[in-house]
Amino acid sequence: QPPASPKYSLTAPPAPAAPLISIPEVSEEHPKIWLPRALRQTYIRKVGDTVNLLIPFQGKPKPQATWTHDGCALDAGRVSVRNGERDSILFIREAQRADSGRYQLSVRLGELEATATIDILVIERPGPPQSIKLVDVWGSNATLEWTPPQDTGNTALLGYTVQKADTKSGLWFTVLERYHRTSFTVSNLIVGNSYAFRVFAENQCGLSETAPITADLAHIQKAATLRKTGGFAQRDFSEAPKFTQPLADCTTVMGYDTQLFCCVRASPKPKIIWLKNKMDIQGNPKYRALTHLGICSLEIRKPGPFDGGIYTCKAVNPLGEASVDCRVDVRAPH
């Protein structure tokens, strides 16, 4: 038997491996804005100051950054913007009040968008009170009234500063500062002197540059004597109580002492009675009442939630009585 012939298997040689193609990895970042903490509340600048805000953001590929002012496109003549790879800068060389408002930065990447809002307030000194008037002079006191300024400088007033000057020296002295009402009785004026008064308005930028001055002088005179047939009689200054400055409603915070003030004029000197919700509070250690030269004050010590209500100051003398009220609200601390 002839030997079996050997078996051979025919296989194709292995194909060469396909070359590896390097595909660059696409790095993507959603847009996001990192608003600095100082810009999360109203950003206040004075007229003439520079505004230079740098706002970092992220996003890949580079997102499109745009700004608006109160919903409108920026005024390119006043505001310039520079957008970098990772931040946007808003620049105003000399801020004016018209630059105040809400600025919004939008960072967009395709359909994705991040926004941030910045409120800018540009302020300046207030204008002066419009007028000041000498309303009354009695004893060693002078009562003044004035009208608020037309222009508060684009921000809230901190109050008024009242000054006096006697005609002998011509020097101005401050009587009170950061006072919130528009009338005040100046006390302790010197007999024999004549006084002028002026009032400034004040805000965060400072006092108004000018101040109106009373047109009339307050002449502080000694009690006059009148000639009568048969001798001299002392002039009668007696009068029933009259409040020249009322109590003002106020809101105070629990635990913080608060004071109420009013001014009364009367002769003879009146008895002062304080009431809360029509109940006499004399002798209550919670309260401290003082009266000096016609100025009545009541201190409420560390008020609690039950110390709110209607407070009354009553003045009584033999010729009559008068009273003024105010509401006190007590709120919890934040």
Side-chain angles (χ1 to χ4, degrees), residues 9-333:
S9 76
L10 298 174
T11 57
L20 293 173
I21 299 173
S22 172
I23 300 174
E25 183 182 340
V26 177
S27 173
E28 283 191 0
E29 260 184 354
H30 286 187
K32 188 170 183 178
I33 297 171
W34 308 98
L35 190 62
R37 184 179 298 275
L39 299 179
R40 294 176 197 170
Q41 55 194 16
T42 301
Y43 183 66
I44 299 175
R45 308 298 290 163
K46 295 178 183 177
V47 167
D49 284 355
T50 297
V51 175
N52 189 13
L53 307 180
L54 185 149
I55 314 297
F57 60 74
Q58 70 173 33
K60 284 186 180 178
K62 180 185 176 183
Q64 180 183 7
T66 54
W67 286 86
T68 58
H69 176 204
D70 290 335
C72 302
L74 299 181
D75 177 355
R78 291 210 44 74
V79 186
S80 59
V81 169
R82 184 196 66 77
N83 292 324
E85 292 288 331
R86 311 293 286 179
D87 56 47
S88 180
I89 295 174
L90 181 135
F91 181 78
I92 304 172
R93 185 173 300 281
E94 289 186 3
Q96 300 299 321
R97 281 165 62 164
D99 297 319
S100 301
R102 176 156 288 187
Y103 290 77
Q104 187 174 70
L105 170 63
S106 167
V107 175
R108 180 182 285 276
L109 198 55
E111 296 298 312
L112 301 172
E113 182 183 28
T115 60
T117 298
I118 301 164
D119 290 316
I120 296 178
L121 182 63
V122 182
I123 64 176
E124 61 185 333
R125 290 190 190 197
Q130 295 175 66
S131 63
I132 183 172
K133 184 169 62 174
L134 179 64
V135 177
D136 199 2
V137 179
W138 45 284
S140 59
N141 311 288
T143 299
L144 309 170
E145 287 182 357
W146 58 90
T147 50
Q150 284 186 320
D151 180 9
T152 62
N154 211 27
T155 186
L157 291 181
L158 296 176
Y160 298 98
T161 292
V162 176
Q163 295 184 337
K164 66 179 179 182
D166 68 77
T167 53
K168 292 177 184 175
S169 71
L171 301 175
W172 290 99
F173 294 94
T174 297
V175 177
L176 78 165
E177 300 174 292
R178 296 199 173 177
Y179 180 75
H180 290 281
R181 298 185 198 166
T182 53
S183 63
F184 184 72
T185 298
V186 182
S187 302
N188 297 331
L189 299 173
I190 297 171
V191 171
N193 283 1
S194 297
Y195 291 88
F197 302 92
R198 66 183 183 183
V199 61
F200 294 86
E202 183 181 6
N203 66 13
Q204 281 175 268
C205 287
L207 297 176
S208 54
E209 291 185 6
T210 59
I213 300 174
T214 49
D216 300 320
L217 292 175
H219 303 289
I220 309 303
Q221 299 172 335
K222 295 178 183 176
T225 55
L226 301 177
R227 177 177 293 277
K228 276 193 178 181
T229 309
F232 291 97
Q234 186 71 28
R235 183 176 165 191
D236 185 7
F237 280 111
S238 299
E239 63 176 315
K242 177 188 173 187
F243 281 91
T244 58
Q245 189 171 301
L247 291 169
D249 293 344
C250 72
T251 300
T252 187
V253 179
M254 253 190 273
Y256 288 83
D257 294 352
T258 193
Q259 287 191 314
L260 308 178
F261 291 97
C262 57
C263 291
V264 68
R265 159 182 169 175
S267 181
K269 185 177 176 182
K271 179 183 180 185
I272 302 298
I273 303 163
W274 286 91
L275 307 118
K276 180 200 165 194
N277 297 332
K278 299 186 179 177
M279 301 289 290
D280 193 330
I281 54 175
Q282 313 261 59
N284 186 329
K286 181 84 181 178
Y287 306 102
R288 181 167 174 254
L290 294 173
T291 305
H292 182 63
L293 297 169
I295 301 170
C296 311
S297 66
L298 180 73
E299 181 180 11
I300 307 173
R301 294 169 168 169
K302 295 188 168 44
F306 300 108
D307 290 314
I310 304 295
Y311 284 78
T312 303
C313 181
K314 182 189 284 188
V316 182
N317 79 357
L319 281 76
E321 64 177 61
S323 63
V324 285
D325 301 324
C326 73
R327 171 179 287 280
V328 175
D329 293 311
V330 182
R331 63 173 176 82

